[in-house]
Amino acid sequence: MIPYGTVEEASVALGRNLTRLETVWFDYTATKSNFHVYCHTILLLFLVFSLAPLPLVFVELSGWFDQYKIQPKVKYSLSEMFRCYKQVMKLFLLVVGTLQIVSYPSIQMVGIRSGLPLPSLMEIVAQLVVYFLIEDYTNYWIHRWLHCKLGYEMIHRIHHEHTSPIGYASPYAHWGEILILGIPTFLGPAIAPGHIMTFWLWIALRQIEAIETHSGYDFPWTLTKFIPFYGGAEYHDYHHYVGGQSQSNFASVFTYCDYIYGTDKGYRIHKKLLQQQVKEEAKEKGGTKYD
């Protein structure tokens, strides 16, 4: 709860006038407890899980973008995608929602605040960069462990039921995996705590990124192609394509860990063979004869 009775009191305490966004935030949160404000996280995740993959449903059903589909032989029906969504929502209500409520003391402990002032744009960007880097590195090693015999058979195999991923399948996993992978997601905000708005933006962007990498489509216009070392849908799709035997492309966001630790070799060989195949097919279409 914001410890000021009016906007004027808040302005005096801050030594300046509130920005328009700070005024809106004050009007909305001034009478709400910190716990009440934090519980908005559940609503945010529900909206992201439900709405962010919706455009990909249209893309899959329309067939208008099949030239960008990474595994063109696999097509999902509306009922199949809705079945996946229902399973995700069950996990959301039973696991994610409960986890958000019981994790509130940890939010207080690490110092994530919900009052005034609101963070500056530079502060938000700097913290998001830190969060992505920390999550990516720690997620890499947990993901590698999940592909060990014990981790895969007990937990991770459920996520790999979709050998050709779709947007709604990004959070489709064993409840234990959701809990385990919540550690890398929370580690960044725990190390560099900021405002609850930054925290919300972080988890929203991370989930949207996961949905994009599980989309099953490699769109040439996606803005993420301009991010250095970003993996993307085509990179992660190979991991699902290989399936449980995959020891490649463990990275959640960036590719540097796979490159440094040599776990992208299979992918690079696969890409090279595909490029050679495309060249040979192009030569054949051009009339070149082979013995």
Side-chain angles (χ1 to χ4, degrees), residues 253-272:
V253 182
F254 304 107
T255 61
Y256 68 93
C257 279
D258 282 311
Y259 180 78
I260 292 172
Y261 300 112
T263 48
D264 64 347
K265 292 180 180 178
Y267 169 73
R268 284 189 278 133
I269 293 172
H270 175 74
K271 287 277 290 182
K272 190 173 182 180

Side-chain angles (χ1 to χ4, degrees), residues 110 155 167 230 262:
V110 301
I155 300 175
Y230 184 81

Side-chain angles (χ1 to χ4, degrees), residues 165-286:
I166 55 175
Y168 277 120
S170 63
Y172 180 86
H174 188 279
W175 64 266
E177 181 168 345
I178 294 174
L179 295 177
I180 293 171
L181 292 182
I183 298 172
T185 302
F186 184 68
L187 192 57
I191 293 174
H195 197 273
I196 189 68
M197 289 182 66
T198 307
F199 180 73
W200 287 342
L201 184 58
W202 154 240
I203 60 176
L205 288 175
R206 178 63 185 91
Q207 294 306 320
I208 291 171
E209 183 276 331
I211 290 167
E212 192 266 336
T213 56
H214 286 83
S215 68
Y217 289 83
D218 186 27
F219 299 117
W221 57 77
T222 179
L223 296 177
T224 51
K225 287 187 177 292
F226 299 98
I227 300 176
F229 306 107
Y230 184 81
E234 192 251 353
Y235 187 83
H236 190 69
D237 197 279
Y238 175 79
H239 178 81
H240 277 263
Y241 175 74
V242 176
Q245 302 302 315
S246 178
Q247 294 299 315
S248 183
N249 295 21
F250 294 112
S252 61
V253 182
F254 304 107
T255 61
Y256 68 93
C257 279
D258 282 311
Y259 180 78
I260 292 172
Y261 300 112
T263 48
D264 64 347
K265 292 180 180 178
Y267 169 73
R268 284 189 278 133
I269 293 172
H270 175 74
K271 287 277 290 182
K272 190 173 182 180
L273 291 174
L274 284 180
Q275 290 171 355
Q276 290 176 348
Q277 182 180 347
V278 170
K279 289 181 181 178
E280 291 174 359
E281 290 177 352
K283 288 181 180 180
E284 288 179 356
K285 289 179 180 180

Side-chain angles (χ1 to χ4, degrees), residues 63-81:
W64 293 352
F65 302 94
D66 282 354
Q67 67 268 36
Y68 304 121
K69 191 168 176 63
I70 302 168
Q71 297 187 47
K73 294 182 179 179
V74 181
K75 293 290 290 183
Y76 288 100
S77 66
L78 180 61
S79 61
E80 288 173 322
M81 288 185 281

Side-chain angles (χ1 to χ4, degrees), residues 37-50:
V37 173
Y38 175 68
C39 284
H40 286 63
T41 309
I42 302 174
L43 176 61
L44 173 68
L45 285 170
F46 171 76
L47 292 175
V48 171
F49 286 159
S50 299

